[in-house]
Amino acid sequence: MKKGLRVILLALLVCSLFMVAAEAKDYTILVMPKLVGIPYFNASEAGALQAGEDLGVNVIYAGPNQADAAAQVRMIEDYISRGVDAICVAPNDPAALTPVLRRARDRGILVMDWDTPADPSVVEISVHQIDDKVFGEHMWDLLVEAMGTDEGEYAVLTGGLAAANLNTWIDYGLAYAKEAYPNLKLVTERIPTDEKQQEAYRKTLDLLRAYPNLKGIVGVSTPAPIGAAQAVEERGLQDKVAVVGSALPTDSAPYLETGALDVATLWDPGKLGYLTVYLALERLEGREITDGMEVPNVGKITLWDDGRTVIMGPPTDFTAENAHLYDF
């Protein structure tokens, strides 16, 4: 009888283990950039996929080939039908994505944004690289320092006119300049470059022809400062026109060395991709995200009072002296 009882208990234990295994969730997390194929989002992809490997979740990193909101909508609709557990998106146009993200949320899919904010009403977590105000103001300080003066003509290159993160940084920078540097003169409205270095190069050549007294350019979007520096170098204007902006150190290094790019400032996009996947899993598992929590391979994060906005950390400035120390 005792032997028979042990057999029964063992059978029950085996059954319970199978039941737990069946109930265990194999999460699939979609991480969607504005577009694929540029160095910044390539680095983010590497971080996101590494997080998936480290954490044991399936990460799909997919986005359009161009910064196209309509293409993002179509792709998200497809992934909703596939039944992913989380959608983490960097929207090209936040308003355009609101309806499809709301449908995802209504289907029980965790919706987050990263890199670029979406409509706050449809996302549960918003992953920011840095404090937007600090970053915007910092770029204008870098501009004035590189120009060697706080007066004169300058221009702003951006990625896409609908990109919420780029617009936020520029808005903060322009408001700051009015107070801190009132003698700076913006020669024209922010100039879109479609997240393409070649377009930034072409638009900068146009700027240099149209405004011969131009003293500075702020490039907001990682290809923009590189394209601007390329044009300035081609025209031999390194000592006349200062170029600063948000760019990767590996892309920046050649232009930093020649002086065509004065300084680049950014964060590690690989860490941003890693953080996005880590936080998605935390929320899918029902765990609380707290201010100051330590995230592996990222560091301590800041949680704003709204309980939804996560800040990864402060930016890093890249110069001719230190750019070679980084591998992204």
Side-chain angles (χ1 to χ4, degrees):
M1 179 66 70
K2 289 183 179 180
K3 183 178 179 181
L5 181 60
R6 285 198 299 270
V7 170
I8 293 171
L9 290 174
L10 180 61
L12 290 172
L13 177 60
V14 170
C15 289
S16 66
L17 289 174
F18 275 115
M19 290 177 64
V20 169
E23 292 174 358
K25 184 70 173 178
D26 293 325
Y27 293 114
T28 296
I29 299 171
L30 170 66
V31 180
M32 180 174 288
K34 292 178 184 176
L35 73 165
V36 295
I38 66 172
Y40 177 89
F41 287 121
N42 291 343
S44 300
E45 178 179 15
L49 296 180
Q50 184 62 54
E53 183 177 328
D54 292 350
L55 302 172
V57 295
N58 179 34
V59 173
I60 300 171
Y61 191 93
N65 293 320
Q66 297 185 355
D68 183 350
Q72 285 185 312
V73 169
R74 290 192 295 271
M75 294 181 72
I76 290 171
E77 287 174 340
D78 179 48
Y79 282 106
I80 290 173
S81 67
R82 296 191 197 185
V84 297
D85 299 289
I87 294 174
C88 312
V89 62
N92 285 298
D93 183 342
L97 266 64
T98 296
V100 71
L101 292 179
R102 184 172 288 121
R103 286 197 293 277
R105 187 193 62 185
D106 291 346
R107 290 278 294 271
I109 297 172
L110 171 67
V111 177
M112 294 171 46
D113 65 45
W114 69 286
D115 182 75
T116 307
D119 178 348
S121 71
V122 295
V123 297
E124 189 166 336
I125 298 293
S126 183
V127 186
H128 293 223
Q129 311 90 330
I130 47 168
D131 184 297
D132 292 329
K133 184 173 185 292
V134 169
F135 191 57
E137 293 180 354
H138 181 60
M139 279 191 280
W140 264 252
D141 284 336
L142 291 177
L143 173 69
V144 168
E145 181 179 351
M147 288 171 52
T149 178
D150 61 359
E151 61 182 31
E153 297 181 352
Y154 79 105
V156 176
L157 300 180
T158 186
L161 292 178
N165 62 333
L166 307 183
N167 284 334
T168 299
W169 299 333
I170 294 169
D171 289 344
Y172 276 126
L174 293 175
Y176 176 62
K178 286 183 179 180
E179 296 295 327
Y181 307 118
N183 294 320
L184 285 180
K185 181 183 177 183
L186 186 66
V187 295
T188 185
E189 295 295 319
R190 62 196 75 178
I191 301 167
T193 62
D194 300 327
E195 301 283 355
K196 296 176 181 177
Q197 178 180 333
Q198 186 63 24
E199 187 70 4
Y201 162 77
R202 187 180 68 79
K203 294 287 182 69
T204 300
L205 288 177
D206 292 342
L207 273 172
L208 296 174
R209 284 190 291 265
Y211 303 98
N213 295 320
L214 197 70
K215 289 186 177 180
I217 296 172
V218 180
V220 185
S221 134
T222 53
I226 308 303
Q230 182 184 354
V232 166
E233 183 176 275
E234 182 178 293
R235 293 285 302 275
L237 296 173
Q238 294 95 317
D239 295 330
K240 182 181 177 183
V241 180
V243 179
V244 304
S246 53
L248 296 165
T250 50
D251 292 339
S252 302
Y255 297 103
L256 290 168
E257 290 173 4
T258 65
L261 178 63
D262 291 88
V263 62
T265 186
L266 205 67
W267 49 89
D268 185 339
K271 289 184 178 181
L272 182 63
Y274 197 103
L275 175 62
T276 299
V277 173
Y278 184 92
L279 294 179
L281 180 59
E282 289 293 287
R283 188 47 58 96
L284 287 170
E285 292 283 2
R287 291 189 285 267
E288 185 180 1
I289 297 169
T290 59
D291 182 45
M293 71 183 287
E294 187 78 27
V295 175
N297 298 318
V298 175
K300 289 185 178 181
I301 61 172
T302 300
L303 181 67
W304 282 7
D305 291 341
D306 62 7
R308 186 184 63 87
T309 303
V310 174
I311 306 296
M312 186 171 73
T316 299
D317 293 338
F318 308 114
T319 65
E321 289 71 34
N322 72 356
H324 67 281
L325 300 176
Y326 300 90
D327 61 356
F328 61 88

